[in-house]
Amino acid sequence: MNILVLNTGSSSLKFQIIKTDLEMIEQGTDEMLCKGLVERIGSQALISFQVVNKPQFKTALPLKDHRAALKYALDWILNPETQIPGVESLTDINAIGHRTVHGGEQFTNSVRIDEAVIKSIEDNIDLAPLHNPANLKGIYAAKEVFGNQVPQAAIFDTAFHSTMPEVSFLYGIPYQLYRRFKIRKYGFHGTSHRYIGYRYRKLEGLRREEVNIISLHLGNGASACAIKKGKSVDTSMGMTPLEGLMMGTRCGDLDPSVIEFIAHKENSTLEEVMQLLNKRSGLLGISGLTHDMRDLEAEWNEYRDRRAKLALDMFGNRIKKYVGAYYATMGGADAICFTAGIGENSPTIRKIACEGLNVLGVEIDDKLNEETIGGKESIISTPTSKVKVYVIPTNEELIIARDTCRIVLNAPLP
Ligand code: ADP
């Protein structure tokens, strides 16, 4: 089957076509055929598409909405000159898998999309006002372009964390608020953490119940996940992605009183304070320079900027705190796995995060750490390290394609 994997943001659309079936899943031989990104939808859109092992196609042109962006991508996919093996007409795309951010309490696994599912994702807009409307745009656009014959599935960022126990997901606020409004920790990046658990299991030749790791997804958004016996038992993001680790522009954990204090001092509204905590905090807020880890590291390496260094140290230190906390609550872990843009590419952050963790038996091999960048998968701990440390490039699209395939074939989901 050829599965079109769609990930739509408020003004972006990312896609991949992945060839897979039950046999290929079993053998791990699924193949990514092409990928693409459309940014700045709604104005002069930036486009970069690529067939595997071929040069990138780049252009810019006005695209008014997600439907126009999807249509443009499909025109490229089906253009005879593009030459994607086995993909010549619309009927060669057998199903569509959507990355969907918030499934609330209702969706504990991936589902086939029908009217009732769309309604429930719409109902969850309250919980994810920034993300679910964007994901819905992708679902509406795909329905319009493909019609109802092509099956579509939703793969939720929250679903992997639905195994968290109450002690992890409840906040210490009146229980009625959970009952009435479902205020609780949901967690995000679930598809990525799930992939890391899966990949670690394959690398180590383990059964799912034997996976006891701390997964660290460090991108623009960042989260830690405690995976015990193959299941998420705790994660650092909360009801929204604002909680937990410090991020590119998000503050992460914070005394809630700070919100009231800022509002008083700055004479700002709640919305303005939330905007500040979401968009102007984290690495950007501390450094006063940038939210981008690469630029931040350059500022420190080239100009010895003190606040750039402070931002790096705070980012790494928060990670360390979570690793320590999860190590304790899980009763030990066999590995720590780094992933996503920063996790896969920043030896500096990995080093800061692991420094001092030798008390838990974590020993990094500095050479391996330095060498593991640019999408390389590798162990970076010493042979004597009690806790292994891995860098595993994430692959959410693969999980989305596989779940979509299983749903279409009525095969059991893992
Ligand atoms: P998103 O959460 O948007 O998917 P990514 O997973 O792509 O983000 O991660 C983006 C982050 O990864 C940025 O902070 C970027 O600077 C960082 N990053 C990418 N490459 C490097 C690198 N070589 N060194 C340090 N940081 C990097």
Side-chain angles (χ1 to χ4, degrees):
M1 298 179 82
N2 295 318
I3 311 285
L4 175 65
V5 175
L6 283 183
N7 179 355
T8 45
S10 56
S11 65
S12 68
L13 180 147
K14 263 199 252 179
F15 71 85
Q16 285 190 8
I17 296 181
I18 295 181
K19 186 176 167 184
T20 186
D21 59 31
L22 298 180
E23 176 77 20
M24 291 170 98
I25 294 175
E26 186 64 31
Q27 306 293 327
T29 52
D30 345 44
E31 262 180 85
M32 195 250 282
L33 303 178
C34 68
K35 62 179 179 181
L37 171 65
V38 185
E39 292 170 287
R40 299 203 198 156
I41 296 171
S43 59
Q44 182 77 354
L46 300 176
I47 286 155
S48 59
F49 295 163
Q50 189 173 27
V51 180
V52 166
N53 297 328
K54 290 208 190 156
Q56 229 178 24
F57 162 76
K58 281 190 161 205
T59 187
L61 80 166
L63 289 172
K64 73 173 191 323
D65 54 19
H66 285 73
R67 181 166 177 268
L70 180 60
K71 272 201 76 99
Y72 186 83
L74 280 172
D75 284 345
W76 174 80
I77 290 168
L78 302 177
N79 187 325
E81 283 177 22
T82 305
Q83 289 187 359
I84 303 169
V87 184
E88 280 153 23
S89 73
L90 213 52
T91 52
D92 292 324
I93 295 172
N94 306 105
I96 303 166
H98 293 269
R99 178 204 176 204
T100 312
V101 170
H102 217 307
E105 279 201 322
Q106 203 168 339
F107 295 111
T108 57
N109 215 331
S110 307
V111 287
R112 185 190 279 256
I113 296 175
D114 58 17
E115 289 308 320
V117 168
I118 292 181
K119 170 84 175 49
S120 299
I121 300 171
E122 287 168 346
D123 289 345
N124 283 332
I125 286 179
D126 217 17
L127 289 169
L130 298 177
H131 296 97
N132 276 18
N135 301 151
L136 281 162
K137 280 182 190 170
I139 295 174
Y140 302 144
K143 261 174 76 86
E144 280 179 43
V145 175
F146 284 87
N148 282 330
Q149 315 75 277
V150 182
Q152 300 195 46
I155 286 71
F156 297 95
D157 257 22
T158 46
F160 181 63
H161 302 300
S162 65
T163 47
M164 284 189 292
E166 266 188 327
V167 289
S168 299
F169 75 65
L170 284 178
Y171 292 121
I173 56 176
Y175 193 81
Q176 286 74 5
L177 290 170
Y178 165 57
R179 281 251 184 81
R180 288 170 63 202
F181 307 120
K182 298 282 172 238
I183 296 174
R184 49 162 286 179
K185 180 188 278 284
Y186 291 93
F188 300 87
H189 294 143
T191 312
S192 176
H193 291 301
R194 181 176 146 197
Y195 174 80
I196 297 306
Y198 158 79
R199 189 65 200 147
Y200 166 80
R201 166 160 71 87
K202 291 286 163 190
L203 289 169
E204 289 282 322
L206 303 172
R207 285 177 290 126
R208 183 170 300 128
E209 318 76 76
E210 294 172 324
V211 173
N212 296 304
I213 62 170
I214 298 166
S215 168
L216 300 166
H217 178 111
L218 312 175
N220 282 314
S223 71
C225 179
I227 304 179
K228 188 169 176 176
K229 297 187 180 168
K231 292 181 177 165
S232 169
V233 292
D234 207 348
T235 191
S236 59
M237 281 178 166
M239 182 175 93
T240 77
L242 188 57
E243 189 183 348
L245 302 177
M246 196 169 98
M247 311 181 205
T249 62
R250 297 188 193 121
C251 58
D253 291 337
L254 179 85
D255 177 348
S257 311
V258 171
I259 296 171
E260 189 194 22
F261 199 81
I262 297 174
H264 276 310
K265 291 285 179 195
E266 298 266 25
N267 197 20
S268 33
T269 64
L270 262 186
E271 286 71 25
E272 285 164 343
V273 181
M274 294 318 291
Q275 178 85 358
L276 178 143
L277 300 179
N278 272 292
K279 300 278 183 206
R280 292 193 278 132
S281 301
L283 298 176
L284 173 65
I286 294 298
S287 70
L289 293 168
T290 173
H291 71 277
D292 191 287
M293 185 57 81
R294 218 171 338 194
D295 297 342
L296 206 55
E297 286 188 18
E299 287 291 337
W300 170 240
N301 292 333
E302 287 166 35
Y303 307 110
R304 288 285 175 250
D305 186 277
R306 189 190 77 84
R307 274 170 47 198
K309 174 77 166 112
L310 181 61
L312 295 176
D313 286 341
M314 285 176 67
F315 189 87
N317 194 51
R318 253 322 148 82
I319 298 166
K320 196 199 313 269
K321 278 200 210 175
Y322 268 92
V323 169
Y326 288 165
Y327 191 88
T329 53
M330 289 168 72
D334 298 323
I336 298 168
C337 301
F338 286 90
T339 194
I342 299 170
E344 293 167 28
N345 292 296
S346 176
T348 308
I349 288 298
R350 295 192 298 244
K351 193 171 162 66
I352 298 173
C354 291
E355 227 153 35
L357 285 184
N358 46 338
V359 288
L360 304 182
V362 178
E363 252 177 51
I364 294 262
D365 179 318
D366 283 333
K367 186 158 176 288
L368 282 176
N369 183 36
E370 289 296 329
E371 284 168 0
T372 306
I373 49 170
K376 218 166 115 185
E377 184 178 74
S378 178
I379 195 161
I380 58 164
S381 47
T382 63
T384 51
S385 182
K386 195 172 125 229
V387 178
K388 290 182 180 170
V389 184
Y390 272 101
V391 174
I392 301 178
T394 194
N395 195 346
E396 294 159 273
E397 289 81 6
L398 182 70
I399 296 282
I400 295 173
R402 287 179 170 187
D403 270 11
T404 305
C405 169
R406 291 179 180 113
I407 284 170
V408 172
L409 298 174
N410 287 320
L413 290 163

